[in-house]
Amino acid sequence: QVQLVESGGGLVQAGGSLRLSCAASGSIFSINIMAWYRQAPGKQRELVAAITSGGTTTYTDSVKGRFTISRDNAKKAVYLQMNSLKPEDTAVYYCYINVFRDNFWGQGTQVTVSS
């Protein structure tokens, strides 16, 4: 019943920017943690950034200073602004939300950064 729809992925040159969006729909009353994960071919899925309901953010070291996570509670959406993109950022990006005991994942969106 709950669905997360992602958008904003694509192909960009190194040094460029992309903005990922993820909107939740369904019977959701409140959302605790919202986050972005990514998975590159042959690698494990890793946490990129997370934001709590209180606005506290965390980032993996490799994206600090380049990526910014934000949320719009009224729209039940989470965003990831990605600047100064590098080829090593290439991966499928997944949004994630936690609602009490339940976890939900987006379908994934491909981000490809060329040299």
Side-chain angles (χ1 to χ4, degrees), residues 15-104:
S17 299
L18 285 174
R19 179 178 169 86
L20 304 184
S21 299
C22 177
S25 63
S27 56
I28 302 175
F29 296 101
S30 63
I31 302 172
N32 184 19
I33 297 171
M34 306 184 80
W36 289 94
Y37 287 75
R38 67 185 180 188
Q39 187 167 25
K43 297 183 179 180
Q44 295 187 95
R45 184 174 298 185
E46 67 170 343
L47 175 67
V48 178
I51 183 168
T52 69
S53 59
T56 301
T57 60
T58 59
Y59 299 90
T60 189
D61 287 343
S62 64
V63 308
K64 288 182 178 177
R66 299 188 298 119
F67 291 10
T68 302
I69 188 171
S70 61
R71 62 192 286 171
D72 185 330
N73 292 326
K75 296 181 179 179
K76 298 180 181 179
V78 60
Y79 309 94
L80 186 67
Q81 179 66 46
M82 305 184 293
N83 298 326
S84 301
L85 283 162
K86 303 175 181 179
E88 47 264 49
D89 294 319
T90 295
V92 177
Y93 284 69
Y94 300 89
C95 64
Y96 161 92
I97 65 170
N98 170 258
V99 184
F100 190 42
R101 300 179 187 179
D102 299 318
N103 302 308
F104 301 96

